[in-house]
Amino acid sequence: DTGVSQDPRHKITKRGQNVTFRCDPISEHNRLYWYRQTLGQGPEFLTYFQNEAQLEKSRLLSDRFSAERPKGSFSTLEIQRTEQGDSAMYLCASSSYGNTEAFFGQGTRLTVV
Amino acid sequence: AQTVTQSQPEMSVQEAETVTLSCTYDTSESDYYLFWYKQPPSRQMILVIRQEAYKQQNATENRFSVNFQKAAKSFSLKISDSQLGDAAMYFCAYRSARNYGGSQGNLIFGKGTKLSVKP
């Protein structure tokens, strides 16, 4: 399967701990997006990469959140000092420049206890 | 800022019947894209259908079609001959056509409509 993959699928962590999620986009896609989806809501945009450059960050992305995409391949999203409000599904999507369709991964469900 | 509104939290349809999901949006841009995405339980979101704002013709993909009313900023999805596999959350989404500055391709989603299909 050559779709977008995310790891882990589920993560339970204690409040105050740091967590890191990984996203592997479709190999030829140069655009990568992170979204957060809480229960009963649609996904909300967090940040966007074109190749290795992080070009946009939402105001939702507090200073506890950081994302990287070294070498323009996979991406990581780290949340430091997790809070219960961080509990959500974190979705990754990728697309190629000039193509309007974004392909989504299955997401990482984070539960902060 | 652009917004997307889905006013139907839940809808139900009998198998083989037709159902229409509503979506309205707000934008000051003239060039953009609209999408319907399907999110089955515990599975990834997949694109159902896409509409370019500059096209007057409504998009169609097999049993799925849209009614795009640009002046009214309305974008509804019609599912014909509903199947059990159509049961899912459906999200309406907006994307700017700009390829410069910010908002380069990120999607703005509505809250979704949960579709149930009765056998």
Side-chain angles (χ1 to χ4, degrees):
Chain A
D1 184 80
T2 57
V4 179
S5 64
Q6 293 187 244
D7 183 69
R9 294 285 309 281
H10 303 274
K11 178 72 176 179
I12 300 174
T13 190
K14 292 183 178 179
R15 191 173 51 186
Q17 297 293 304
N18 299 343
V19 293
T20 300
F21 311 140
R22 177 179 171 125
C23 171
D24 286 272
I26 294 172
S27 59
E28 63 268 26
H29 286 182
N30 57 353
R31 291 183 167 182
L32 186 147
Y33 306 85
W34 285 98
Y35 292 85
R36 181 173 69 187
Q37 185 179 19
T38 54
L39 202 61
Q41 302 293 319
E44 295 173 294
F45 169 73
L46 291 178
T47 190
Y48 152 68
F49 290 85
Q50 182 158 303
N51 300 313
E52 66 275 11
Q54 188 175 17
L55 296 186
E56 189 178 3
K57 290 192 287 186
S58 162
R59 283 171 291 181
L60 293 174
L61 212 66
S62 77
D63 56 6
R64 297 185 298 105
F65 288 69
S66 63
E68 293 183 342
R69 192 183 182 197
K71 302 178 183 177
S73 54
F74 70 92
S75 176
T76 58
L77 178 68
E78 181 184 16
I79 309 174
Q80 296 182 328
R81 306 181 303 281
T82 52
E83 302 173 355
Q84 285 192 318
D86 297 330
S87 295
M89 176 76 83
Y90 290 84
L91 298 170
C92 177
S94 70
S95 69
S96 55
Y97 185 85
N99 190 331
T100 59
E101 182 174 357
F103 293 82
F104 283 82
Q106 290 186 287
T108 294
R109 181 168 296 282
L110 173 67
T111 302
V112 181
V113 297
Chain B
Q2 296 84 16
T3 58
V4 176
T5 302
Q6 293 180 251
S7 59
Q8 305 154 316
E10 296 188 29
M11 290 284 284
S12 180
V13 64
Q14 203 73 33
E15 195 175 6
E17 297 293 308
T18 296
V19 64
T20 299
L21 308 184
S22 301
C23 172
T24 58
Y25 60 95
D26 191 27
T27 183
S28 59
E29 297 179 328
S30 59
D31 198 12
Y32 48 87
Y33 305 95
L34 295 166
F35 305 86
W36 279 98
Y37 277 87
K38 172 185 177 182
Q39 188 177 42
S42 301
R43 294 183 62 186
Q44 67 208 91
M45 198 169 309
I46 57 173
L47 179 65
V48 174
I49 199 165
R50 158 182 48 211
Q51 175 79 43
E52 290 88 347
Y54 65 86
K55 289 186 177 179
Q56 291 187 328
Q57 187 172 5
N58 289 324
T60 299
E61 288 286 344
N62 301 314
R63 298 182 296 108
F64 299 87
S65 61
V66 298
N67 183 1
F68 173 48
Q69 301 288 328
K70 190 172 184 179
K73 296 180 182 175
S74 170
F75 183 61
S76 61
L77 174 70
K78 185 171 81 171
I79 307 174
S80 304
D81 186 25
S82 296
Q83 301 175 0
L84 295 177
D86 294 333
M89 284 293 292
Y90 285 82
F91 292 97
C92 178
Y94 171 102
R95 176 192 184 277
S96 172
R98 283 185 299 154
N99 272 315
Y100 58 90
S103 305
Q104 291 181 44
N106 59 287
L107 296 162
I108 300 167
F109 288 89
K111 290 187 176 183
T113 296
K114 183 178 181 181
L115 178 66
S116 303
V117 181
K118 298 178 181 177

